[in-house]
């Protein structure tokens, strides 16, 4: 298969969305000229006045029908997600269910988090209000093209902010559909969309916005933080990672290896909490690798629209080339191919298992975001923990082992979310949070919802 052409023709005021599977055109959107972004923000500021003046429960009632509106169009959304970025159709449906499946509960949780509180210490009586900031810029990536915008837009709107969304240039059509559906419910101007690439993102950050909520790479997060600093604009940054999996000697080796395959190859490895490094003690390394290779061989590769497909193409040629270069560099430095690394074609990177990875290799330190499982053999758990923690990133980590033992090891890992014998996702109400350079601020949970608000305290003497 010939690699598809690269996406955007900069001479045209449209952004053409290309299917990474076969290079066909999925759709196009009109690019917002950067110099028009301030006008969009000014319209948002006007619309915010009335939206922010509504009560929390009124805003909840406005947004409540969103879940059904999206669920009723599950097939449209799922197909578009798959066409735009290559995710297998069952994962696309899973993304939709995870996005709106508990919407009413989520709205109630936000109302509870943002309801004003009274404090009385005997001499002073204070009321703490959780007020909107004003205009919130949401800037999002392509790997969960529905969920990532929703995770930022919903709490920002519920807090009474007006929102301007700048979705990824790789998934503009899904984002446009999401905004069109939401705008069936909202007054004009409260939620707008700006299409384009980094120029439009920069223009939005530079415009008169009060809060910038960003999900994307660490590098872009740093640029945004620097650009926001002159106006001391509030930022919430959810960034990339290099998540470790620590396998302990008392782990269920088969379960750990199956988890490693699933979490390294899901969404072709294009998940912020993908397993990017696996630390395994020498004593169980071989059975672990054998099982990982076996699981890797069972993966069905193909067109994301085919229900049987488990692994689709990478989002674009740039991402494919980055992953292949990391693999080739690792092999040149002594890594062994235990599985895969042959038959790459078009935008597909075949699932690959590498062993004999060492800590100094780029593939052990820089985010890969591709379908590669990297096995690093260690002498004991102390070495595994030391290497796992020796990273600037810290979004998630996973430990497999006897539950009490693994829970103790979990407390020694420097990440924001740690899964024990499971993926990192927490119970309902837990924050989505990164440590170190994987995040600055966070969302979900009572405290996460409050980050979309300005607290104000009114106090009276008793
Ligand atoms: P990216 O940083 O390249 O782009 C993200 C968004 O920022 C896009 O909309 C892009 O147009 C915009 N942008 C680019 N430069 C900008 C600038 N200077 N100012 C303002 N906006 C700018 O990231 P990506 O490739 O779209 O997404 C992949 C990355 O996102 C990975 O690193 C992944 O780990 C991360 N991610 C993190 C989480 C999380 O929850 N922590 C979730 C999903 C993805």
């Amino acid at each position: 298969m010939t690699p598809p052409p690269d996406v955007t023709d900069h001479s045209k005021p449209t952004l053409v969305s290309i299917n990474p599977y076969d290079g066909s055109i999925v759709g196009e959107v009109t690019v917002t000229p950067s110099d028009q972004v301030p006008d969009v923000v000014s319209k948002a500021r006007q619309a915010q006045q009335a939206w922010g003046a509504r009560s929390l429960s009124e805003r909840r009632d406005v947004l409540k029908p969103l879940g059904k509106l999206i669920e009723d169009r599950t097939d449209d959304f799922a197909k578009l997600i798959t066409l735009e970025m290559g995710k297998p159709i069952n994962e696309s449906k899973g993304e939709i269910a995870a996005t709106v499946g508990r919407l009413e509960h989520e709205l109630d949780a936000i109302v509870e988090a943002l309801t004003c509180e009274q404090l009385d210490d005997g001499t002073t009586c204070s009321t703490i209000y959780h007020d909107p900031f004003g205009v919130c810029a949401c800037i999002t990536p392509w790997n969960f093209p529905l969920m990532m915008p929703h995770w930022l837009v919903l709490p920002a709107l519920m807090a009474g902010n007006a929102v301007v969304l700048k979705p990824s240039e790789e998934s503009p059509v899904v984002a446009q559909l999401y905004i069109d559906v939401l705008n069936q419910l909202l007054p004009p101007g409260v939620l707008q969309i700006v299409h384009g690439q980094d120029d439009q993102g920069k223009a939005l950050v530079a415009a008169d916005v009060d809060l910038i909520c960003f999900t994307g790479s660490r590098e872009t997060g740093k640029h945004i933080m620097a650009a926001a600093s002159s106006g001391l604009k509030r930022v919430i940054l959810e960034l990339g990672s290099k998540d470790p999996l620590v396998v302990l000697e008392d782990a269920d080796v088969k379960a750990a290896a199956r988890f490693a395959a699933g979490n390294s190859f899901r969404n072709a490895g294009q998940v912020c909490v993908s397993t990017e490094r696996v630390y395994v003690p020498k004593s169980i390394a071989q059975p672990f690798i054998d099982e990982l290779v076996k699981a890797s061989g069972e993966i069905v590769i193909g067109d994301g629209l085919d229900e049987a497909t488990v692994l689709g193409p990478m989002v674009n040629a740039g991402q494919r080339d980055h992953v292949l270069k990391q693999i080739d560099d690792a092999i040149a430095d002594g890594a062994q191919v235990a599985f895969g690394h042959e038959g790459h074609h078009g935008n597909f990177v075949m699932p690959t298992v590498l062993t004999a990875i060492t800590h100094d290799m780029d593939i052990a330190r820089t985010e890969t975001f591709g379908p590669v499982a990297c096995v690093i053999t260690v002498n004991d758990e102390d070495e595994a923990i030391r290497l796992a923690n020796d990273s600037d990133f810290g979004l998630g980590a996973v430990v497999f082992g006897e539950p009490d033992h693994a829970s103790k090891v979990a407390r020694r890992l420097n990440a924001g979310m740690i899964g024990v014998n499971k993926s990192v996702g927490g119970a309902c109400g837990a924050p989505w949070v990164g440590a170190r350079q994987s995040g600055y601020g966070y969302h979900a949970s009572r405290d996460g919802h409050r980050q979309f608000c300005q607290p104000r305290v009114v106090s009276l003497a008793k």
Side-chain angles (χ1 to χ4, degrees):
M1 190 187 301
T2 324
D6 259 341
V7 183
T8 311
D9 177 349
H10 293 270
S11 66
K12 286 191 184 166
T14 54
L15 190 57
V16 180
S17 177
I18 302 285
N19 180 347
Y21 174 68
D22 60 8
S24 59
I25 292 177
V26 179
E28 61 179 48
V29 295
T30 305
V31 168
T32 314
S34 296
D35 61 4
Q36 286 179 17
V37 171
D39 295 340
V40 173
V41 172
S42 146
K43 187 174 167 193
R45 193 163 291 289
Q46 278 190 339
Q48 190 273 330
Q49 307 260 326
W51 178 246
R54 294 200 194 190
S55 72
L56 263 172
S57 53
E58 281 174 318
R59 292 198 291 266
R60 171 185 52 196
D61 292 345
V62 169
L63 291 164
K64 224 178 219 171
L66 178 66
K68 180 154 177 11
L69 288 178
I70 290 185
E71 275 164 1
D72 285 350
R73 299 194 62 179
T74 293
D75 289 344
D76 296 337
F77 271 103
K79 192 170 171 203
L80 262 188
I81 292 171
T82 297
L83 291 176
E84 265 202 315
M85 51 74 64
K87 179 177 294 191
I89 192 81
N90 286 324
E91 283 188 40
S92 299
K93 287 179 186 163
E95 178 176 342
I96 295 159
T99 302
V100 293
R102 291 179 56 84
L103 186 92
E104 291 198 11
H105 172 89
E106 207 180 333
L107 291 171
D108 289 343
I110 298 175
V111 170
E112 201 181 318
L114 305 192
T115 298
C116 61
E117 297 159 275
Q118 305 282 345
L119 290 179
D120 184 343
D121 66 3
T123 57
T124 306
C125 185
S126 296
T127 308
I128 304 168
Y129 296 92
H130 301 286
D131 286 344
F133 277 110
V135 179
C136 173
C138 296
I139 303 177
T140 52
W142 47 266
N143 63 332
F144 287 85
L146 174 67
M147 185 189 271
M148 292 298 102
H150 179 80
W151 274 13
L152 301 182
V153 167
L154 188 82
L157 287 174
M158 271 301 288
N161 300 292
V163 171
V164 180
L165 171 70
K166 203 317 254 163
S168 170
E169 53 272 39
E170 299 291 345
S171 53
V173 182
V174 176
Q176 184 66 55
L177 180 60
Y178 172 66
I179 294 302
D180 289 347
V181 170
L182 245 176
N183 269 333
Q184 293 172 30
L185 307 172
L186 290 165
V190 170
L191 173 64
Q192 296 171 83
I193 190 163
V194 160
H195 283 297
Q197 300 186 306
D198 51 344
D199 280 350
Q200 281 68 20
K202 286 177 192 164
L204 186 54
V205 169
D208 179 27
V209 297
D210 305 288
L211 171 68
I212 302 154
C213 303
F214 171 75
T215 306
S217 65
R218 179 179 61 168
E219 285 59 40
T220 306
K222 285 181 181 175
H223 285 299
I224 288 176
M225 197 165 175
S229 69
S230 61
L232 287 177
K233 291 173 186 166
R234 272 48 178 171
V235 292
I236 303 173
L237 308 175
E238 291 284 2
L239 308 176
S241 193
K242 189 76 197 166
D243 282 8
L245 162 64
V246 173
V247 184
L248 302 174
E249 273 185 325
D250 52 18
D252 175 337
V253 172
K254 184 172 174 185
R258 294 262 148 192
F259 175 84
N263 209 45
S264 299
F265 304 142
R266 179 167 74 105
N267 200 16
Q270 302 166 121
V271 182
C272 53
V273 288
S274 276
T275 294
E276 295 235 342
R277 304 174 278 156
V278 186
Y279 297 99
V280 189
K282 268 185 198 147
S283 54
I284 55 167
Q286 200 51 55
F288 177 87
I289 291 165
D290 291 345
E291 190 63 36
L292 175 56
V293 166
K294 194 168 154 207
S296 307
E298 292 165 9
I299 287 173
V300 180
I301 299 150
D303 182 353
L305 288 179
D306 185 337
E307 294 271 343
T309 295
V310 174
L311 189 130
M314 309 295 304
V315 70
N316 59 29
Q319 191 57 29
R320 173 202 65 199
D321 293 346
H322 161 72
V323 177
L324 291 178
K325 180 170 182 338
Q326 265 199 347
I327 297 173
D328 287 339
D329 288 352
I331 292 168
D333 289 341
Q336 304 281 314
V337 178
F339 180 84
H341 197 35
E342 53 187 20
H344 308 299
H345 57 277
N347 283 330
F348 281 86
V349 174
M350 295 292 108
T352 298
V353 177
L354 297 179
T355 59
I357 296 290
T358 55
H359 192 58
D360 54 337
M361 292 176 183
D362 187 51
I363 206 164
R365 308 189 72 81
T366 306
E367 188 174 35
T368 301
F369 230 49
V372 189
C374 289
V375 181
I376 300 163
T377 307
V378 291
N379 291 310
D380 53 32
E381 74 186 42
D382 284 343
E383 187 184 9
I385 293 165
R386 181 174 59 75
L387 294 177
N389 284 340
D390 184 23
S391 167
D392 291 335
F393 292 111
L395 186 57
V398 171
V399 191
F400 265 73
E402 183 281 319
D404 285 345
H405 179 198
S407 300
K408 287 194 181 101
V409 170
R411 294 291 296 134
R412 296 174 64 196
L413 290 171
N414 193 349
M417 299 174 285
I418 300 121
V420 173
N421 295 324
K422 70 175 282 302
S423 59
V424 300
C428 258
W432 185 264
V433 54
R436 295 185 284 185
Q437 293 184 20
S438 286
Y440 189 93
Y442 55 95
H443 43 80
S445 75
R446 190 192 66 155
D447 295 333
H449 297 320
R450 289 181 175 178
Q451 298 201 10
F452 292 81
C453 301
Q454 171 64 55
R456 265 195 198 92
V457 187
V458 176
S459 300
L460 279 82
K462 286 200 80 179

PDB file of all heavy atoms in Angstrom, residues 239-255:
ATOM      1  N   LEU A 239      -0.525  16.137  29.991  1.00  0.00           N
ATOM      2  CA  LEU A 239       0.539  15.979  28.991  1.00  0.00           C
ATOM      3  C   LEU A 239       0.911  14.519  28.739  1.00  0.00           C
ATOM      4  O   LEU A 239       0.267  13.604  29.241  1.00  0.00           O
ATOM      5  CB  LEU A 239       1.744  16.808  29.446  1.00  0.00           C
ATOM      6  CG  LEU A 239       1.399  18.278  29.778  1.00  0.00           C
ATOM      7  CD1 LEU A 239       2.604  19.013  30.321  1.00  0.00           C
ATOM      8  CD2 LEU A 239       0.832  19.004  28.562  1.00  0.00           C
ATOM      9  N   GLY A 240       1.960  14.330  27.985  1.00  0.00           N
ATOM     10  CA  GLY A 240       2.381  12.987  27.581  1.00  0.00           C
ATOM     11  C   GLY A 240       3.047  12.208  28.710  1.00  0.00           C
ATOM     12  O   GLY A 240       3.170  12.699  29.836  1.00  0.00           O
ATOM     13  N   SER A 241       3.483  10.988  28.381  1.00  0.00           N
ATOM     14  CA  SER A 241       4.111  10.186  29.427  1.00  0.00           C
ATOM     15  C   SER A 241       4.980   9.084  28.830  1.00  0.00           C
ATOM     16  O   SER A 241       5.182   9.013  27.606  1.00  0.00           O
ATOM     17  CB  SER A 241       3.067   9.597  30.359  1.00  0.00           C
ATOM     18  OG  SER A 241       3.693   9.089  31.529  1.00  0.00           O
ATOM     19  N   LYS A 242       5.482   8.252  29.696  1.00  0.00           N
ATOM     20  CA  LYS A 242       6.326   7.110  29.313  1.00  0.00           C
ATOM     21  C   LYS A 242       6.058   6.055  30.374  1.00  0.00           C
ATOM     22  O   LYS A 242       6.938   5.674  31.150  1.00  0.00           O
ATOM     23  CB  LYS A 242       7.807   7.558  29.326  1.00  0.00           C
ATOM     24  CG  LYS A 242       8.772   6.540  28.750  1.00  0.00           C
ATOM     25  CD  LYS A 242       8.732   6.495  27.253  1.00  0.00           C
ATOM     26  CE  LYS A 242       9.362   5.239  26.698  1.00  0.00           C
ATOM     27  NZ  LYS A 242       9.021   5.033  25.271  1.00  0.00           N
ATOM     28  N   ASP A 243       4.794   5.613  30.440  1.00  0.00           N
ATOM     29  CA  ASP A 243       4.351   4.838  31.602  1.00  0.00           C
ATOM     30  C   ASP A 243       5.058   3.491  31.739  1.00  0.00           C
ATOM     31  O   ASP A 243       5.159   2.719  30.770  1.00  0.00           O
ATOM     32  CB  ASP A 243       2.839   4.575  31.510  1.00  0.00           C
ATOM     33  CG  ASP A 243       2.012   5.785  31.895  1.00  0.00           C
ATOM     34  OD1 ASP A 243       2.593   6.871  32.080  1.00  0.00           O
ATOM     35  OD2 ASP A 243       0.788   5.626  32.014  1.00  0.00           O
ATOM     36  N   PRO A 244       5.507   3.177  32.954  1.00  0.00           N
ATOM     37  CA  PRO A 244       6.117   1.869  33.212  1.00  0.00           C
ATOM     38  C   PRO A 244       5.094   0.834  33.679  1.00  0.00           C
ATOM     39  O   PRO A 244       4.073   1.169  34.281  1.00  0.00           O
ATOM     40  CB  PRO A 244       7.094   2.175  34.355  1.00  0.00           C
ATOM     41  CG  PRO A 244       6.437   3.300  35.111  1.00  0.00           C
ATOM     42  CD  PRO A 244       5.628   4.089  34.107  1.00  0.00           C
ATOM     43  N   LEU A 245       5.423  -0.425  33.401  1.00  0.00           N
ATOM     44  CA  LEU A 245       4.728  -1.572  34.012  1.00  0.00           C
ATOM     45  C   LEU A 245       5.795  -2.323  34.793  1.00  0.00           C
ATOM     46  O   LEU A 245       6.818  -2.718  34.221  1.00  0.00           O
ATOM     47  CB  LEU A 245       4.124  -2.467  32.929  1.00  0.00           C
ATOM     48  CG  LEU A 245       3.753  -3.897  33.332  1.00  0.00           C
ATOM     49  CD1 LEU A 245       2.657  -3.924  34.391  1.00  0.00           C
ATOM     50  CD2 LEU A 245       3.276  -4.695  32.101  1.00  0.00           C
ATOM     51  N   VAL A 246       5.574  -2.483  36.098  1.00  0.00           N
ATOM     52  CA  VAL A 246       6.526  -3.220  36.935  1.00  0.00           C
ATOM     53  C   VAL A 246       5.909  -4.581  37.236  1.00  0.00           C
ATOM     54  O   VAL A 246       4.808  -4.673  37.800  1.00  0.00           O
ATOM     55  CB  VAL A 246       6.808  -2.442  38.243  1.00  0.00           C
ATOM     56  CG1 VAL A 246       7.658  -3.285  39.198  1.00  0.00           C
ATOM     57  CG2 VAL A 246       7.497  -1.112  37.932  1.00  0.00           C
ATOM     58  N   VAL A 247       6.614  -5.636  36.814  1.00  0.00           N
ATOM     59  CA  VAL A 247       6.127  -6.999  37.065  1.00  0.00           C
ATOM     60  C   VAL A 247       6.960  -7.569  38.218  1.00  0.00           C
ATOM     61  O   VAL A 247       8.184  -7.596  38.139  1.00  0.00           O
ATOM     62  CB  VAL A 247       6.271  -7.877  35.798  1.00  0.00           C
ATOM     63  CG1 VAL A 247       5.664  -9.258  36.036  1.00  0.00           C
ATOM     64  CG2 VAL A 247       5.610  -7.206  34.596  1.00  0.00           C
ATOM     65  N   LEU A 248       6.281  -8.008  39.277  1.00  0.00           N
ATOM     66  CA  LEU A 248       6.983  -8.545  40.446  1.00  0.00           C
ATOM     67  C   LEU A 248       7.105 -10.060  40.326  1.00  0.00           C
ATOM     68  O   LEU A 248       6.336 -10.697  39.592  1.00  0.00           O
ATOM     69  CB  LEU A 248       6.215  -8.165  41.720  1.00  0.00           C
ATOM     70  CG  LEU A 248       6.021  -6.646  41.911  1.00  0.00           C
ATOM     71  CD1 LEU A 248       5.120  -6.368  43.116  1.00  0.00           C
ATOM     72  CD2 LEU A 248       7.363  -5.942  42.069  1.00  0.00           C
ATOM     73  N   GLU A 249       8.036 -10.610  41.113  1.00  0.00           N
ATOM     74  CA  GLU A 249       8.285 -12.061  41.012  1.00  0.00           C
ATOM     75  C   GLU A 249       7.055 -12.882  41.370  1.00  0.00           C
ATOM     76  O   GLU A 249       6.872 -13.994  40.879  1.00  0.00           O
ATOM     77  CB  GLU A 249       9.474 -12.458  41.896  1.00  0.00           C
ATOM     78  CG  GLU A 249      10.776 -12.290  41.149  1.00  0.00           C
ATOM     79  CD  GLU A 249      11.985 -12.773  41.921  1.00  0.00           C
ATOM     80  OE1 GLU A 249      11.994 -12.632  43.152  1.00  0.00           O
ATOM     81  OE2 GLU A 249      12.926 -13.276  41.267  1.00  0.00           O
ATOM     82  N   ASP A 250       6.191 -12.310  42.245  1.00  0.00           N
ATOM     83  CA  ASP A 250       4.999 -13.067  42.644  1.00  0.00           C
ATOM     84  C   ASP A 250       3.784 -12.743  41.757  1.00  0.00           C
ATOM     85  O   ASP A 250       2.642 -13.026  42.133  1.00  0.00           O
ATOM     86  CB  ASP A 250       4.681 -12.833  44.127  1.00  0.00           C
ATOM     87  CG  ASP A 250       4.605 -11.348  44.488  1.00  0.00           C
ATOM     88  OD1 ASP A 250       4.463 -10.526  43.561  1.00  0.00           O
ATOM     89  OD2 ASP A 250       4.700 -11.021  45.690  1.00  0.00           O
ATOM     90  N   ALA A 251       4.024 -12.145  40.601  1.00  0.00           N
ATOM     91  CA  ALA A 251       2.911 -11.811  39.691  1.00  0.00           C
ATOM     92  C   ALA A 251       2.377 -13.055  38.988  1.00  0.00           C
ATOM     93  O   ALA A 251       3.098 -14.043  38.814  1.00  0.00           O
ATOM     94  CB  ALA A 251       3.392 -10.814  38.641  1.00  0.00           C
ATOM     95  N   ASP A 252       1.134 -12.981  38.556  1.00  0.00           N
ATOM     96  CA  ASP A 252       0.575 -13.954  37.615  1.00  0.00           C
ATOM     97  C   ASP A 252       1.182 -13.573  36.250  1.00  0.00           C
ATOM     98  O   ASP A 252       0.775 -12.583  35.622  1.00  0.00           O
ATOM     99  CB  ASP A 252      -0.953 -13.803  37.620  1.00  0.00           C
ATOM    100  CG  ASP A 252      -1.635 -14.694  36.584  1.00  0.00           C
ATOM    101  OD1 ASP A 252      -0.983 -15.085  35.595  1.00  0.00           O
ATOM    102  OD2 ASP A 252      -2.840 -14.955  36.759  1.00  0.00           O
ATOM    103  N   VAL A 253       2.185 -14.350  35.832  1.00  0.00           N
ATOM    104  CA  VAL A 253       2.996 -13.963  34.673  1.00  0.00           C
ATOM    105  C   VAL A 253       2.137 -13.864  33.408  1.00  0.00           C
ATOM    106  O   VAL A 253       2.276 -12.927  32.612  1.00  0.00           O
ATOM    107  CB  VAL A 253       4.159 -14.967  34.471  1.00  0.00           C
ATOM    108  CG1 VAL A 253       4.891 -14.704  33.170  1.00  0.00           C
ATOM    109  CG2 VAL A 253       5.122 -14.870  35.639  1.00  0.00           C
ATOM    110  N   LYS A 254       1.233 -14.813  33.266  1.00  0.00           N
ATOM    111  CA  LYS A 254       0.409 -14.797  32.052  1.00  0.00           C
ATOM    112  C   LYS A 254      -0.475 -13.542  32.030  1.00  0.00           C
ATOM    113  O   LYS A 254      -0.560 -12.849  31.006  1.00  0.00           O
ATOM    114  CB  LYS A 254      -0.461 -16.068  32.017  1.00  0.00           C
ATOM    115  CG  LYS A 254      -1.268 -16.187  30.772  1.00  0.00           C
ATOM    116  CD  LYS A 254      -1.954 -17.531  30.661  1.00  0.00           C
ATOM    117  CE  LYS A 254      -2.865 -17.520  29.444  1.00  0.00           C
ATOM    118  NZ  LYS A 254      -3.658 -18.707  29.312  1.00  0.00           N
ATOM    119  N   ALA A 255      -1.099 -13.242  33.174  1.00  0.00           N
ATOM    120  CA  ALA A 255      -1.977 -12.057  33.222  1.00  0.00           C
ATOM    121  C   ALA A 255      -1.160 -10.795  32.958  1.00  0.00           C
ATOM    122  O   ALA A 255      -1.611  -9.889  32.238  1.00  0.00           O
ATOM    123  CB  ALA A 255      -2.670 -11.979  34.580  1.00  0.00           C
TER     124      ALA A 255
END
